């Protein structure tokens, strides 16, 4: 089986909760809101070189500079304009910012992310940008009650990743699976699961 990275989703939890998870051996943390994340990154600056900070929530263009300067990964890229700004604003002294494209894999009208048909063109364009590295795809499928139905959107995201690889893109990341559907996601080839409440407890 593939190895699976655990991204601890620390949104709404304190910097101290992140510090405890780090002490227990965790290294990768996911946040939805830029300002909340920056407060924690500042509070944990003594651990900065040991932690990877991932933005998993929506990113508006007026926030790209601070994200390019302070984060390690962005999972929620869904427009070329955002990726271009991140590429322009990523400081030259830092390693490339690691990116995933967010795909609206269940086709929900209310969800952010690209339609699957839009993914190949954006992937080629993002892969050509400097100072960022396209790693793969991210999705938040529509909730489903049983594992069999949970597996279908994850399987579709995996197939989309494989088709991009078939077009010559060097991609290694399938960011899929949350507390409620992480088993289904791993069964379908997730390489990174984003887990919040199953680690930190219910959000208030
Ligand atoms: C909150 C969130 C998670 C974690 O959700 P849990 O159900 O707490 O595991 C994962 N991914 C994204 C994009 C989120 O917003």
């Amino acid at each position: 089986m593939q190895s699976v990275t655990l991204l601890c989703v620390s949104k709404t939890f304190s910097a101290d909760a992140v510090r405890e998870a780090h002490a227990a051996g965790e290294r990768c943390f996911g946040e939805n809101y830029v300002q909340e994340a920056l407060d924690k990154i500042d509070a944990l600056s003594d651990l900065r070189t040991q932690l990877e900070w991932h933005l998993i929530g929506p990113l508006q263009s007026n926030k790209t500079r601070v994200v390019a300067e302070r984060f390690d990964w962005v999972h929620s890229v869904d427009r070329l304009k955002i990726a271009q700004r991140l590429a322009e604003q990523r400081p030259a002294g830092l390693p490339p910012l690691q990116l995933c494209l967010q795909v609206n894999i269940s086709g929900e009208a209310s969800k952010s992310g690209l339609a699957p048909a839009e993914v190949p063109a954006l992937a080629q364009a993002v892969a050509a940008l400097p100072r960022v590295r396209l790693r793969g795809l991210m999705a938040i499928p529509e909730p489903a009650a049983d594992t069999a139905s949970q597996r279908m959107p994850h399987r579709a995201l995996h197939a989309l990743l494989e088709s991009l690889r078939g077009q010559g893109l060097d991609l290694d990341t399938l960011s899929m699976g949350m507390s409620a559907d992480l088993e289904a996601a791993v069964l379908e080839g997730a390489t990174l699961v984003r887990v919040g409440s199953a680690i930190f407890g219910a959000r208030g």
Side-chain angles (χ1 to χ4, degrees), residues 9-18 31 36 40 196-197 199-204:
V9 176
S10 43
K11 66 177 177 211
T12 78
F13 293 96
S14 66
D16 283 342
V18 173
E31 290 282 339
E36 180 189 343
K40 285 178 221 179
S197 47
I199 295 173
F200 293 107
R203 284 182 291 274

Side-chain angles (χ1 to χ4, degrees), residues 1 15 38 40 45 58 62 75 78 80 84-85 110 114 116 129 134 139 153-154 156 161 163 202:
M1 193 178 271
L38 294 176
K40 285 178 221 179
S45 57
N62 62 344
H75 292 231
D78 62 1
L80 183 58
Q84 285 170 329
R85 290 176 66 95
S110 59
L114 295 154
L129 293 172
L134 182 64
H154 294 123
L161 187 83
S163 79

Side-chain angles (χ1 to χ4, degrees), residues 9 11 32 56-57 138 140 177-180 194-198 201 203:
V9 176
K11 66 177 177 211
N32 286 56
I56 61 175
M138 181 275 238
I140 309 171
M178 318 193 343
S179 296
R194 307 179 310 268
V195 183
S197 47
R203 284 182 291 274

Side-chain angles (χ1 to χ4, degrees), residues 84-96:
Q84 285 170 329
R85 290 176 66 95
L86 291 170
E88 281 165 20
Q89 294 167 345
R90 181 67 167 175
L94 293 180

Side-chain angles (χ1 to χ4, degrees), residues 137-153:
L137 302 177
M138 181 275 238
I140 309 171
E142 195 171 22
D146 59 285
T147 307
S149 2
Q150 289 175 353
R151 287 179 70 160
M152 287 190 290

Side-chain angles (χ1 to χ4, degrees), residues 36-82:
E36 180 189 343
L38 294 176
D39 292 344
K40 285 178 221 179
I41 294 172
D42 286 340
L44 298 164
S45 57
D46 56 312
L47 300 178
R48 185 65 189 91
T49 58
Q50 297 176 45
L51 300 181
E52 251 180 28
W53 288 102
H54 295 233
L55 183 68
I56 61 175
L59 176 54
Q60 267 77 50
S61 51
N62 62 344
K63 299 270 175 65
T64 53
R65 181 174 298 280
V66 75
V67 169
E69 290 174 354
R70 306 292 305 277
F71 281 78
D72 301 295
W73 282 68
V74 178
H75 292 231
S76 49
V77 174
D78 62 1
R79 284 176 288 155
L80 183 58
K81 183 185 167 199
I82 294 288

